[in-house]
Amino acid sequence: MNKGQLLYEGKAKRLYTTEDTEILFVEYKDSATAFNGEKKAEIAGKGNLNNQITTLLFEKLQANGIESHFVKRLSANEQLVRKVEIIPIEVVTRNIAAGSLAKRLGLDEGTPLKRPIVEFYYKDDALGDPIITTEHIDVLNIATPIEVEQLYNAALHVNEVLRPIFTAVGVTLVDFKLEFGRDKDGNILLADEISPDTCRLWDSTTKQKLDKDVFRRDLGNLTEVYEIILQKLGGN
Ligand code: C5P
C-alpha cells in the first residue's frame, strides 16, 4: 500500500490517502506538544516509540475483542488504519486523580478514585478542549445520545482490558484519552493512538512517571521512559 496525498497534519501525526479509499496511511512524527501546543519540541525516536506502543496496545485490545481502526504497522514510523470520520470528543477515563481532575476537584495527585470515571472533552484547539457534558454534546450535535453511551461503555471496556495488562508488568494505568470515529456505515470505531502521549502511566512501585508528563513537567528524558513502556509491553 502506497502513501498518497497528505490529508491532514496534526500535532503528532500525518495522515495520507492510499490507493484504497477505505484505508489511510499514518505517519507518527517526532514532535512533542503540550498545553494546547504552547510547549513544543522535536524528540528524535518518539514517533517510532508511539507507533510501536500503539500497535502493541491495539493488538492486545483486538485479542480481547475490542476492534479499532488499526490495520497494521508498516515501518518504524508508519501504520495503516481504516478510514473513519473522527468524532470531535476526547474521551478520558481515570482510575486515579491526576492532571486536570486533581486540579479541578482539589484532589491530591495519586488519590485512587472509588471507581473509574469517564469524562468528555470537546476536541477544539481554539477553545482549548473544554470539558463538556452529555447535554453539551447533544446541543453541539457532535454525537447522538446512543453514540455517547457507546463511547462511555467502550472507554470503560478498554480500561478493563488495559488496566490488568499494565498492572501485570508493574505499571499503573492512571488515566488515558481515547478518540473514536465513524466508519462508512456509521459504526463507531476506536481510533487515533494509545501511547504514553495519551495515557498517564506510573511505575507501580516507585511511582515514576512513564508518560508525557515527563515532557510537560520537565522531569527527564521522554524517550527513555517511553522505551521502558515499550519493553514492558513486550516490544523491542
Ligand atoms: O490533562 P488531563 O488530566 O485532563 O489528561 C487526562 C488524560 O488524557 C492524560 O492521560 C492525558 O495524557 C490525556 N490527554 C490527551 N490529549 C489531550 C488531553 C489529555 O491525550 N488533549
Side-chain angles (χ1 to χ4, degrees):
M1 195 90 49
N2 292 304
K3 190 156 84 178
Q5 299 261 46
L6 178 66
L7 268 185
Y8 172 79
E9 176 157 5
K11 295 187 202 97
K13 297 183 287 294
R14 291 186 196 92
L15 288 182
Y16 297 85
T17 58
T18 66
E19 52 270 44
D20 183 335
T21 54
E22 293 310 316
I23 303 284
L24 298 180
F25 194 105
V26 184
E27 201 175 77
Y28 279 71
K29 304 199 296 188
D30 282 340
S31 316
T33 62
F35 313 119
N36 200 16
E38 275 172 41
K39 180 171 179 171
K40 285 186 204 152
E42 283 301 299
I43 302 180
K46 174 176 171 287
N48 176 1
L49 286 161
N50 279 349
N51 188 28
Q52 289 192 70
I53 294 167
T54 293
T55 297
L56 284 171
L57 292 175
F58 278 145
E59 284 172 352
K60 287 178 195 290
L61 288 175
Q62 190 179 37
N64 284 277
I66 301 179
E67 290 300 323
S68 73
H69 74 160
F70 177 76
V71 177
K72 76 183 223 192
R73 189 167 78 96
L74 293 176
S75 70
N77 284 56
E78 300 162 327
Q79 59 175 244
L80 294 178
V81 301
R82 283 158 67 186
K83 186 174 178 178
V84 293
E85 172 213 354
I86 292 287
I87 297 171
I89 298 174
E90 300 196 334
V91 183
V92 171
T93 306
R94 303 180 187 266
N95 298 305
I96 294 176
S100 72
L101 179 79
K103 202 168 162 188
R104 185 175 309 111
L105 301 189
L107 297 171
D108 285 338
E109 189 156 87
T111 308
L113 303 177
K114 72 174 191 186
R115 62 177 182 88
I117 60 167
V118 177
E119 300 169 337
F120 301 113
Y121 293 81
Y122 187 23
K123 193 171 146 66
D124 185 314
D125 283 344
L127 297 176
D129 300 340
I131 192 164
I132 48 175
T133 66
T134 53
E135 289 180 290
H136 295 149
I137 293 172
D138 188 34
V139 296
L140 286 169
N141 267 324
I142 47 180
T144 67
I146 290 170
E147 287 177 330
V148 171
E149 203 176 321
Q150 287 179 317
L151 302 184
Y152 184 88
N153 291 333
L156 288 179
H157 191 188
V158 169
N159 190 45
E160 273 167 28
V161 172
L162 291 189
R163 211 175 167 185
I165 287 173
F166 280 112
T167 304
V169 295
V171 174
T172 304
L173 178 60
V174 173
D175 56 34
F176 58 96
K177 183 263 305 184
L178 301 176
E179 294 187 25
F180 296 84
R182 299 181 190 94
D183 70 12
K184 66 175 193 326
D185 302 317
N187 299 310
I188 301 266
L189 202 58
L190 177 60
D192 195 51
E193 67 176 283
I194 309 181
S195 72
D197 267 15
T198 63
C199 302
R200 282 199 176 88
L201 301 165
W202 295 351
D203 182 296
S204 303
T205 311
T206 65
K207 310 292 176 209
Q208 183 191 0
K209 296 186 196 320
L210 304 172
D211 57 58
K212 201 162 96 174
D213 274 347
V214 167
F215 171 72
R216 293 188 188 101
R217 304 179 190 184
D218 293 321
L219 300 176
N221 185 311
L222 178 137
T223 52
E224 263 173 38
V225 301
Y226 283 30
E227 193 75 55
I228 292 172
I229 293 297
L230 177 63
Q231 275 168 18
K232 282 180 182 282
L233 290 173
N236 43 50

